Amino acid sequence: MKKTLLTYFYIILLCLSGKMFSQTYQLTGNPIVTTGWDLVSSANIAGGDFVQLTADQGGLYGAIKLAAPINLKYCDKWKVEFDFRIDGNGTAAFGRGDGFTFWYLANPPAGFVSGGGLGIPANANGLMVGFDIFNNSTEGQMSKVHVLYGTNNLPAGNFNIEYNNTPGSTFHSPDLITTQPFVGPTYKHVEVNGETDPANPANWLIKIRIDGVLITDQSFAPSGGAIGMTTGYFGFSAATGGASARHSIKNAKIFIDKVPILTNTITPFVCVNPATGTGTIDLTSYNTQFVANPANYIITYFGPGGVPITNPTNFSYSGNTTITVVVKDPSSTLCDNGDGIIQLNPTPFAAVDTTLTGCNNNNAGVAIFDLTTAAVTTVAGVTKKFYPTLADLNAGTNEILNPTTYSSAPGFIYVKVTTPQGCFSNAKITLNHFAVVTVNDATLRACFIETNPSTGLFNLTNASVTTQGGITKKYYPSLADAQNSTNEISATAAAAYIAPNGVVYIKVINGNGCYAIAKVTLIVIAPVYSTVLKDKTICMEDKTTLDAGPGFSSYQWSTGATTQSISNVGVGTYWVKLKTGDCIATQNVTISPSEQPVITNVDISATTITINVMGGTPAYQYSMDNINWQDSNIFKNVPRGDNKVYVKDAYDCEPIDITIVVPNIINVITPNGDGINDAIDYSALANKKNLVFNVFDRYGAKIHQGDKSTRYRWDGTIAGRKVPTGSYWYSVTWNENDKKNTPFKYSGWVLVKNRD
């Protein structure tokens, strides 16, 4: 036994395509399942979760073993667990006996074995762990553990491991009957652990525990037939002699895990050099086929007869050779895996002619070929050199240095293929072109977008650029983008593509991945507006007609009318949708009210009035009766009192009017206190806004201001002193009480006669 053994006792082998990750053997279940196990002699399943090796009778023997042997050559650790029970009535003369054994034997029992050897055949080779309840020396009861790692052939003529004391290969525990008696109604739990002794790899370090109590922990050297043993059968046996007892086991588990490998056997192509009859190979190049991360493992190689290979990177061979590969995980307790095989079967090497077909994209006349993809051989690790002619290949000239992007019209090239073993062969590669993708340029027209009339909404997917089936279209804003497959316009965006006049490109790709590029011209149909429909200005109270003119296929006005023109429309903003072909242009038109003129101020001089006007549209006309109109803004001989003046502009709309007061004119005052013409009095205008009455001397100096404080009067004095007799000028200004606050100015002169 050697290297990691973790074995469960029922047969569940988890083996996935040649890699053994975990192997489990066990005897469990209720009723217990013994599939994959052999029952020997009196061993039986009476029902329940245990195997009864013997009944409570003398002279019985029973065993159970795995039907198939287990190779532990590459394991350096193992573990066994099981539960046992020994009970029964025994015999009057000898009590209960004899005991049972767990073993791993190269030559397990096939039939009855006498009881004194705990059911172990004479000359059995392997590891035996016995649980003995009968002392053959005293013929009394005991509870001892015996271990033998060797051959059950001592002492001569007795063959009982109780008495076998081969140095370094045996162990006998003290009598445990007082502390851990083996006989009783309850099951005892046993754990047996073994691992390679680092100090002596031929030895096993064995640990045995019963119900968690350590019984032994020591190194055992193989002796006799156990030396060099790698394959054996796991099992249990028990026997009774003159005494009797029931021997039962259950929950038996033997654990064995190997380093998992990806595959068991690799048969690479190899050849020999015809000149030497030999070849060389790098065995380590196949490590990744055994494990995913070879650097994590120690991998060794053995040739025929188990001879270690010291130069695996340059191994020389001639005929068929089987290489054994052993994988060890130095960081774990898994068993080494020695199931790997590299089978070398040298065969002649010949490259095969083949064909590559490429795309003549956009009908350029050449295709880009990856010559390295030509299937000229299935042999791994070959090197290839490509040449434009066979003569170049033979001469080693003009090698093609860009084989992955080789541009060529239909034709031939040649390749020299060399295996890792130095074998070589030539092959011809025929270069063909796929059928050309046929496309045509197209034009798409779209109506202008009203919010941005220089652009249109195009559905690029409607562009008829090919009639071929089984194709895929991709859309690009420029030829360079189409050629380089950059800035692709998604299919969703292409279906609603907003653009001005210009071009886009469609790459048409067939099932072979070949393509051609079509240009699509985009034309935005400009809006067509009416040239006769213009904004108008009318009097607020007037109505007019709006006419869009002829030439449109339909009209739709904001009023709901669908006629060329609409009548009796007043001031406001209107629109009309004018259809030309499939496009509709919305044209707005405004009817504005004419601006009314405004009387800015009125000058009154005696009975002459001057009307000053601004705004509106000249020329203005003036009237004092709204019947007779004149172009002049001056009216003479206007009667005293209130008068109305009318003004209208060139649009001849309803005139504006204003009431004008022509004050009573006093030209002479005699401030002598007689009550007659004593003062100039404009208090009658006191209800006017901003009324001011000013008097000036003949030099233009203001000598009096009549306002609210002076009751808008002047009595010919300055600060209570009479002014000299003479003529004085005065002016009266105010704002009329209308919504325009029209300013008025009345001016005149007065003669003051003062008597001293």
Side-chain angles (χ1 to χ4, degrees):
M1 301 169 77
K2 191 180 179 191
K3 303 194 177 169
T4 315
L5 163 66
L6 284 120
T7 317
Y8 283 176
F9 258 132
Y10 178 149
I11 205 162
I12 301 174
L13 286 95
L14 300 178
C15 299
L16 301 176
S17 64
K19 64 174 184 256
M20 184 169 66
F21 173 72
S22 177
Q23 199 166 266
T24 305
Y25 304 87
Q26 58 184 6
L27 281 169
T28 58
N30 191 357
I32 196 168
V33 179
T34 60
T35 303
W37 297 79
D38 293 332
L39 295 171
V40 180
S41 195
S42 64
N44 69 90
I45 303 171
D49 60 353
F50 64 94
V51 175
Q52 182 175 283
L53 299 176
T54 68
D56 188 14
Q57 300 174 24
L60 293 181
Y61 171 79
I64 185 168
K65 70 177 183 66
L66 279 174
I70 302 299
N71 187 339
L72 303 179
K73 178 178 179 180
Y74 299 107
C75 284
D76 52 18
K77 291 196 179 192
W78 54 273
K79 179 181 178 182
V80 178
E81 294 183 17
F82 57 88
D83 298 332
F84 77 87
R85 180 179 65 188
I86 303 175
D87 61 356
N89 297 316
T91 63
F94 302 108
R96 300 179 183 86
D98 278 330
F100 83 101
T101 308
F102 154 70
W103 36 254
Y104 175 73
L105 299 177
N107 48 345
F112 182 85
V113 176
S114 63
L118 302 179
I120 305 170
N123 298 312
N125 298 312
L127 176 69
M128 293 149 268
V129 180
F131 298 84
D132 195 351
I133 64 171
F134 190 80
N135 190 323
N136 288 294
S137 298
T138 66
E139 296 186 348
Q141 303 295 301
M142 69 176 186
S143 296
K144 285 189 176 184
V145 176
H146 308 299
V147 179
L148 171 60
Y149 187 18
T151 301
N152 185 28
N153 59 0
L154 294 174
N158 195 359
F159 314 136
N160 189 329
I161 67 172
E162 179 184 354
Y163 301 114
N164 191 321
N165 288 298
T166 301
S169 301
T170 58
F171 164 79
H172 304 284
S173 76
D175 191 350
L176 306 174
I177 195 168
T178 59
T179 57
Q180 290 181 289
F182 296 165
V183 177
T186 60
Y187 281 91
K188 300 288 185 182
H189 181 69
V190 178
E191 295 182 11
V192 182
N193 288 272
E195 63 178 289
T196 301
D197 187 345
N200 190 343
N203 291 9
W204 280 104
L205 292 173
I206 302 294
K207 292 181 182 179
I208 300 174
R209 289 182 174 86
I210 300 176
D211 289 336
V213 178
L214 182 66
I215 304 302
T216 184
D217 180 1
Q218 68 182 65
S219 180
F220 290 85
S223 62
I227 297 174
M229 173 185 167
T230 60
T231 302
Y233 295 81
F234 286 106
F236 300 84
S237 63
T240 61
S244 67
R246 286 189 295 265
H247 299 83
S248 304
I249 63 168
K250 68 176 182 177
N251 295 328
K253 301 173 184 177
I254 301 176
F255 304 90
I256 177 171
D257 279 347
K258 287 184 179 181
V259 171
I261 61 175
L262 303 173
T263 187
N264 282 356
T265 302
I266 297 169
T267 307
F269 174 87
V270 292
C271 60
V272 294
N273 189 322
T276 64
T278 62
T280 59
I281 190 170
D282 182 359
L283 299 176
T284 65
S285 65
Y286 302 104
N287 289 350
T288 55
Q289 297 187 48
F290 291 112
V291 290
N293 299 295
N296 295 338
Y297 301 90
I298 298 172
I299 302 176
T300 52
Y301 310 85
F302 300 87
V307 177
I309 296 173
T310 58
N311 60 338
T313 59
N314 190 31
F315 177 70
S316 179
Y317 61 88
S318 54
N320 292 352
T321 306
T322 300
I323 308 297
T324 301
V325 180
V326 178
V327 181
K328 176 181 179 64
D329 186 348
S331 65
S332 75
T333 59
L334 297 180
C335 299
D336 299 349
N337 196 319
D339 297 333
I341 297 293
I342 301 175
Q343 184 63 49
L344 305 180
N345 299 321
T347 58
F349 173 65
V352 297
D353 295 343
T354 189
T355 298
L356 289 177
T357 305
C359 292
N360 178 14
N361 286 328
N362 226 20
N363 201 15
V366 295
I368 305 299
F369 296 93
D370 184 351
L371 303 180
T372 64
T373 63
V376 293
T377 183
T378 58
V379 176
V382 299
T383 58
K384 302 174 186 177
K385 291 187 176 183
F386 303 88
Y387 299 89
T389 67
L390 183 58
D392 284 324
L393 184 150
N394 291 328
T397 57
N398 297 319
E399 181 184 354
I400 296 171
L401 300 178
N402 61 331
T404 58
T405 56
Y406 184 64
S407 176
S408 176
F412 309 96
I413 62 101
Y414 298 84
V415 56
K416 182 177 182 178
V417 185
T418 305
T419 71
Q421 297 80 35
C423 306
F424 62 86
S425 179
N426 302 334
K428 180 172 73 172
I429 302 175
T430 300
L431 304 180
N432 288 335
H433 286 183
F434 287 114
V436 174
V437 179
T438 303
V439 297
N440 53 268
D441 293 344
T443 298
L444 289 177
R445 291 177 171 81
C447 296
F448 67 95
I449 297 173
E450 284 198 333
T451 55
N452 188 0
S454 65
T455 64
L457 178 63
F458 298 90
N459 186 346
L460 304 184
T461 64
N462 288 339
S464 179
V465 294
T466 185
T467 58
Q468 289 181 298
I471 54 91
T472 300
K473 295 179 182 178
K474 294 189 175 183
Y475 307 88
Y476 298 91
S478 72
L479 179 59
D481 285 326
Q483 292 169 335
N484 299 321
S485 296
T486 55
N487 299 316
E488 180 183 352
I489 301 167
S490 69
T492 301
Y497 188 66
I498 297 175
N501 291 331
V503 294
V504 294
Y505 295 85
I506 300 179
K507 179 183 281 189
V508 181
I509 308 165
N510 66 12
N512 295 318
C514 304
Y515 69 85
I517 299 173
K519 181 174 73 172
V520 179
T521 300
L522 306 180
I523 297 176
V524 178
I525 301 173
V528 179
Y529 297 110
S530 169
T531 58
V532 300
L533 184 62
K534 305 290 185 181
D535 290 343
K536 289 187 173 183
T537 301
I538 64 172
C539 297
M540 177 63 77
E541 67 276 9
D542 287 351
K543 303 293 182 181
T544 189
T545 297
L546 296 176
D547 190 347
F552 300 98
S553 56
S554 70
Y555 304 82
Q556 182 180 346
W557 293 88
S558 54
T559 62
T562 57
T563 54
Q564 174 181 320
S565 62
I566 54 175
S567 302
N568 199 32
V569 289
V571 169
T573 299
Y574 303 84
W575 53 257
V576 60
K577 292 184 180 294
L578 304 171
K579 186 174 184 181
T580 304
D582 292 328
C583 301
I584 296 175
T586 301
Q587 185 169 343
N588 295 317
V589 61
T590 300
I591 302 175
S592 302
S594 64
E595 182 183 359
Q596 289 282 71
V598 176
I599 298 175
T600 58
N601 64 291
V602 178
D603 289 334
I604 305 172
S605 179
T607 60
T608 298
I609 63 175
T610 301
I611 310 299
N612 297 304
V613 177
M614 65 178 296
T617 303
Y620 306 111
Q621 289 191 307
Y622 308 87
S623 173
M624 295 196 70
D625 58 7
N626 201 19
I627 297 173
N628 300 300
W629 294 88
Q630 65 183 39
D631 296 332
S632 174
N633 64 335
I634 299 174
F635 293 93
K636 296 181 178 181
N637 300 316
V638 178
R640 307 289 181 180
D642 290 339
N643 296 273
K644 193 170 261 189
V645 175
Y646 301 85
V647 179
K648 61 183 178 179
D649 66 2
Y651 279 98
D652 197 24
C653 300
E654 283 292 323
I656 61 170
D657 61 75
I658 189 172
T659 299
I660 296 173
V661 177
V662 179
N664 185 32
I665 298 174
I666 300 174
N667 294 114
V668 178
I669 60 172
T670 55
N672 53 10
D674 60 2
I676 300 172
N677 294 331
D678 285 333
I680 299 175
D681 186 353
Y682 283 103
S683 60
L685 298 177
N687 65 329
K688 304 296 184 182
K689 294 179 183 178
N690 304 319
L691 177 64
V692 176
F693 166 41
N694 293 316
V695 180
F696 306 91
D697 63 17
R698 62 180 177 172
Y699 303 107
K702 184 169 74 172
I703 60 175
H704 176 77
Q705 178 173 308
D707 52 27
K708 187 175 182 180
S709 64
T710 60
R711 294 179 297 166
Y712 308 105
R713 299 176 73 253
W714 183 53
D715 60 358
T717 64
I718 299 175
R721 295 174 57 194
K722 294 181 179 181
V723 297
T725 298
S727 294
Y728 296 85
W729 298 97
Y730 65 91
S731 67
V732 183
T733 61
W734 70 89
N735 290 94
E736 191 58 53
N737 295 321
D738 55 21
K739 60 184 177 180
K740 299 293 184 178
N741 290 319
T742 305
F744 280 74
K745 182 179 180 181
Y746 173 65
S747 59
W749 60 269
V750 63
L751 176 62
V752 179
K753 293 181 179 181
N754 276 319
R755 298 191 180 103
D756 295 331

